[in-house]
Amino acid sequence: MLFLLTGGVQTGKTRWLEQLIAELADDGVESQGVVAPGVWCQREGEEVPGERPLGSGQGEYEKLGIDNVLLPGGERLPFARRRDLARQEGTFDPASQSAAAQLAWEISDDAIARVNAHLDALGCSSEEDPPLEHNFLAVEKGTNVSRETLWQDQVVASAAMESAMDFSADCATKLASECATKPAADCATMLAAECATKPAADCATKPTAGSIVDFSPASSGSPEVPNALGAREEGAAENGVRPALLVVDELGRLELEHGRGLTSALDLIGRGATARFPHALVVVRAWLRDGVEARFADAWGGTFAIEPGDAARDAVRAAFSLAPFIDKKYH
């Protein structure tokens, strides 16, 4: 599931996200990626109405900049400075990516490179992860195909892409011995022949009840496609891959309109759900959300928009099969 965390300016999106990350960690779910807390100070002296610098925020606190915290290690680095302050301090670079995009923030190209390197490392650590099932099936929306056909195709394609996802002993053994020296297409052919003589239960774990991905419009009458997400998470855990939440705070104009900035985040999210990252949470301004949905919905089998609050927290927890959060301070 791809969660899109939206909300107005200065509504506590990052503070809420940091709390969610801590709560998930307490329950054994690690978050990996980047979170972007603001750098604030209390306003001083009298202000002239209407003369607050662009990006400085509202209320009694003034926003000076943005840091990036790299997850899960916690490395913190200065990421962005308000442009008017960067000019005053002599750190504004007219050749920077952010200056070229005419952003209100001066973002260091060196900082961008550091965050991209971190995200690349996360991508390398998960590059052997198989995409989850909605990436295996090239099903045109509206096509009326049988549930059994889709499930059998999913079994063969999933097995061909990854041997570590707890297929039956026979299929897994053959994959390990044969597929190491063969192209994926040959593996798929071999596994098709192998699994054709066995029940589907022997070739892959059955999907969990009530978990579905609908590849067709509701009006088409086509069957819903089984989603083996829960079963594949179990198989991943058994094979040493602990599912984590991929966090990207945030995607903005620099990435979505200019193709610059955190390009490694775009690449990582574009892979869709994997055994390591079955779910992702991306912070994005509400007016940019449609662009994110258009770009990534197919890879993730849809998106789920959330705003800071208890309902959003419970939705993310439910994705990892965790019970709703109970604040121990009040219970």
Side-chain angles (χ1 to χ4, degrees):
M1 175 67 70
L2 176 59
F3 294 96
L4 301 181
L5 177 60
T6 64
V9 177
Q10 207 171 334
T11 56
K13 296 185 296 295
T14 295
R15 289 193 299 274
W16 178 87
L17 178 55
E18 288 176 316
Q19 183 178 358
L20 173 68
I21 289 169
E23 293 165 358
L24 291 174
D26 287 343
D27 285 309
V29 176
E30 187 174 70
S31 298
Q32 301 182 16
V34 59
V35 64
V39 179
W40 302 81
C41 72
Q42 192 163 15
R43 297 184 189 274
E44 298 179 356
E46 296 294 329
E47 288 187 315
V48 178
E51 292 192 2
R52 287 183 175 175
L54 183 65
S56 64
Q58 304 298 320
E60 62 177 308
Y61 288 91
E62 178 181 4
K63 191 170 188 178
L64 307 178
I66 301 169
D67 286 348
N68 269 192
V69 178
L70 308 184
L71 305 173
E75 176 188 347
R76 188 176 186 125
L77 63 148
F79 187 74
R81 191 73 167 168
R82 219 172 61 215
R83 178 184 280 194
D84 62 301
L85 296 178
R87 289 185 182 278
Q88 294 173 19
E89 298 160 355
T91 58
F92 176 74
D93 180 3
S96 68
Q97 298 178 47
S98 57
Q102 299 183 335
L103 302 184
W105 299 93
E106 170 64 12
I107 304 175
S108 162
D109 284 354
D110 289 342
I112 290 174
R114 174 69 189 96
V115 178
N116 276 331
H118 171 68
L119 296 173
D120 286 340
L122 294 182
C124 287
S125 69
S126 62
E127 66 183 0
E128 299 301 323
D129 291 347
L132 294 183
E133 67 290 331
H134 52 255
N135 283 346
F136 292 132
L137 300 176
V139 181
E140 181 180 356
K141 292 188 176 184
T143 302
N144 192 1
V145 293
S146 73
R147 183 185 301 268
E148 184 64 20
T149 297
L150 288 172
W151 173 245
Q152 292 294 340
D153 287 346
Q154 177 176 318
V155 168
V156 174
S158 298
M161 291 297 293
E162 175 63 53
S163 65
M165 295 309 299
D166 197 27
F167 293 96
S168 71
D170 289 341
C171 288
T173 300
K174 187 171 284 293
L175 183 63
S177 61
E178 299 289 339
C179 285
T181 59
K182 296 182 186 300
D186 291 345
C187 290
T189 301
M190 177 272 294
L191 282 163
E194 174 71 16
C195 291
T197 61
K198 295 179 171 58
D202 290 341
C203 290
T205 307
K206 286 285 190 179
T208 55
S211 183
I212 60 172
V213 173
D214 189 354
F215 279 79
S216 58
S219 59
S220 72
S222 299
E224 295 165 334
V225 180
N227 182 338
L229 178 60
R232 289 178 68 87
E233 285 183 357
E234 289 180 10
E238 291 173 2
N239 287 279
V241 179
R242 182 180 295 277
L245 177 66
L246 175 62
V247 175
V248 176
D249 181 11
E250 67 180 272
L251 292 182
R253 288 180 51 220
L254 192 58
E255 291 79 21
L256 299 171
E257 295 182 355
H258 299 275
R260 308 291 297 279
L262 301 184
T263 54
S264 296
L266 298 175
D267 292 341
L268 194 52
I269 298 166
R271 298 181 187 183
T274 66
R276 184 176 302 277
F277 296 127
H279 310 293
L281 190 154
V282 174
V283 180
V284 62
R285 299 293 173 87
W287 57 278
L288 291 171
R289 196 184 83 193
D290 288 349
V292 175
E293 290 176 340
R295 183 165 186 160
F296 298 116
D298 286 347
W300 287 85
T303 63
F304 191 80
I306 58 176
E307 294 187 3
D310 291 344
R313 173 199 286 131
D314 289 345
V316 177
R317 291 179 61 84
F320 286 96
S321 302
L322 298 175
F325 179 75
I326 299 177
D327 194 332
K328 296 180 177 63
K329 293 187 297 185
Y330 302 102
H331 294 80

